[in-house]
Amino acid sequence: MLRLNNIHVYYNHVHALKGVSLEVKKGSIVSLLGANGAGKSTTLKTISLLLKPKEGSYLFEETPMLKMKASDVVKAGIIHCPEGRRVFPLLTVMENLKAGTYIRKDKKQINHDMERVFNYFPRLKERRNQKAGTLSGGEQQMLAIGRSLVGNPKILLLDEPSLGIAPILVKEIFEIIKEINSEGTTILLVEQNANMALDISDYSYVLENGHIALEGRSEELKENP
Ligand code: ADP
Ligand code: ADP
C-alpha cells in the first residue's frame, strides 16, 4: 500500500533521515520504533508531505507521492494523527470531530462515521457536548484519534498515542487501535513504548539515528529483542 525508497530528509544541516526504506502492507499494523530523535516523527511528516525529501521516492497505492499536493494526501486517505493530542480546547467533542470531516461532503456517511467513533470510544460519547480542554489527557488523545478517523483514512499515521497518558487508558487506546485495524484501516504506528507496539503490530522497523537498524515480524522481534 505504501512504500518508501531511500528517503533522505534534512532540516537545514541536520540530516534527519539517511536513506529510509520501508513498506506498509494493506490491512496491517506496522510499527516504527526507536529512541527519541531517531527520526520517527520526521518519517510520518514526510509521508504526509509536510516535509519534502531531498532524495528518494515513495509510492502510495502505486501513485508517486512526490507528484501529489499536501491536500491530495488527505483526499487519498492518508491521515496523520500528530504527537501531543492536538485538539481544539474551546470546542466541544462533537465540534472537534466535525473539524476532522472538512474535506468530505457526504453528510450521511459522516454521521455514520461519527457514530462509529462513539462506538470505539464510549468515553467520548458520554462527553460529546463537553469542551475538549476539560477532558483528561487520555481522553484528548482518544479525541485526536477519533477526529482522524472521521477523515476516513485508508492508512492512519499515528504518532506516539501513549505519550504522557495513564497506563490504564493506554491499554484501552491500544485495544481500540487493534479494533480499528481489524475493521479495515491500515496503521503505521510510531511508538517509544516498544513492547506495547510489538504486541499489536504485524511488522516493525527500528530507526536509529535516521537509519533503519532492524526490521522484522513483530512476533520475532519480541522473542529476540
Ligand atoms: P516471507 O518472505 O515469508 O513473506 P516476511 O518476513 O517478508 O517473510 O513476512 C512475514 C510476514 O510478515 C508475512 O505474513 C507478511 O505479510 C508480514 N509482513 C512482511 N512485511 C510486511 C510489511 N511491510 N507490512 C506488514 N506486514 C508485513
Ligand atoms: P523522533 O520522532 O524519533 O523522536 P524526530 O523525527 O522528531 O525524531 O527527529 C529526528 C532528528 O531531526 C532529531 O535529530 C531532531 O533533533 C531533528 N529535528 C526534528 N525536527 C526538527 C526541526 N524542526 N528543526 C531541526 N531539527 C529537527
Side-chain angles (χ1 to χ4, degrees):
M1 178 179 233
L2 175 71
R3 186 191 293 275
L4 273 61
N5 281 314
N6 192 32
I7 295 286
H8 288 260
V9 173
Y10 291 81
Y11 295 101
N12 298 314
H13 297 293
V14 178
H15 194 175
L17 297 185
K18 301 168 183 162
V20 169
S21 299
L22 61 80
E23 188 191 351
V24 181
K25 292 191 179 167
K26 193 174 159 112
S28 62
I29 302 183
V30 171
S31 48
L32 189 55
L33 311 173
N36 223 338
K40 304 182 298 297
S41 295
T42 301
T43 305
L44 294 193
K45 286 175 190 164
T46 308
I47 295 169
S48 50
L49 286 182
L50 292 170
L51 297 169
K52 282 245 166 153
K54 189 149 189 182
E55 203 186 313
S57 61
Y58 41 145
L59 293 174
F60 176 66
E61 293 186 321
E62 310 307 323
T63 307
M65 292 200 58
L66 288 170
K67 297 211 167 120
M68 294 165 94
K69 285 182 290 188
S71 57
D72 293 340
V73 169
V74 179
K75 285 183 198 144
I78 301 175
I79 310 263
H80 184 185
C81 184
E83 195 177 358
R85 6 165 169 141
R86 295 191 202 150
V87 297
F88 300 111
L90 296 177
L91 299 185
T92 65
V93 167
M94 280 295 274
E95 287 162 346
N96 267 277
L97 290 178
K98 285 209 175 107
T101 67
Y102 70 102
I103 59 155
R104 299 179 57 189
K105 295 194 183 72
D106 45 342
K107 282 257 153 51
K108 229 172 140 180
Q109 187 64 35
I110 289 173
N111 286 335
H112 175 269
D113 287 347
M114 301 266 256
E115 280 313 311
R116 193 169 146 239
V117 169
F118 286 141
N119 285 336
Y120 288 133
F121 301 109
R123 282 168 186 278
L124 296 182
K125 187 170 189 169
E126 289 160 25
R127 296 165 175 79
R128 63 204 292 164
N129 296 317
Q130 201 169 314
K131 292 220 182 347
T134 67
L135 301 176
S136 76
E139 290 160 357
Q140 288 182 15
Q141 181 63 65
M142 290 176 178
L143 181 55
I145 296 172
R147 195 176 57 200
S148 298
L149 289 177
V150 295
N152 209 12
K154 285 185 185 165
I155 181 168
L156 179 61
L157 311 176
L158 261 180
D159 201 342
E160 297 264 12
S162 73
L163 197 71
I165 289 170
I168 186 158
L169 286 195
V170 172
K171 194 156 172 281
E172 207 173 311
I173 289 171
F174 271 64
E175 278 162 10
I176 293 163
I177 293 171
K178 190 82 192 160
E179 202 180 321
I180 291 166
N181 170 254
S182 69
E183 291 174 12
T185 307
T186 305
I187 294 175
L188 178 56
L189 172 67
V190 158
E191 261 300 332
Q192 275 196 63
N193 190 337
N195 279 331
M196 294 202 72
L198 288 172
D199 272 342
I200 65 160
S201 59
D202 302 298
Y203 202 82
S204 298
Y205 292 88
V206 181
L207 266 175
E208 224 172 79
N209 193 18
H211 296 279
I212 302 285
L214 188 66
E215 66 172 274
R217 287 176 53 211
S218 302
E219 259 170 55
E220 281 167 14
L221 293 183
K222 202 165 163 88
E223 283 161 18
N224 314 295

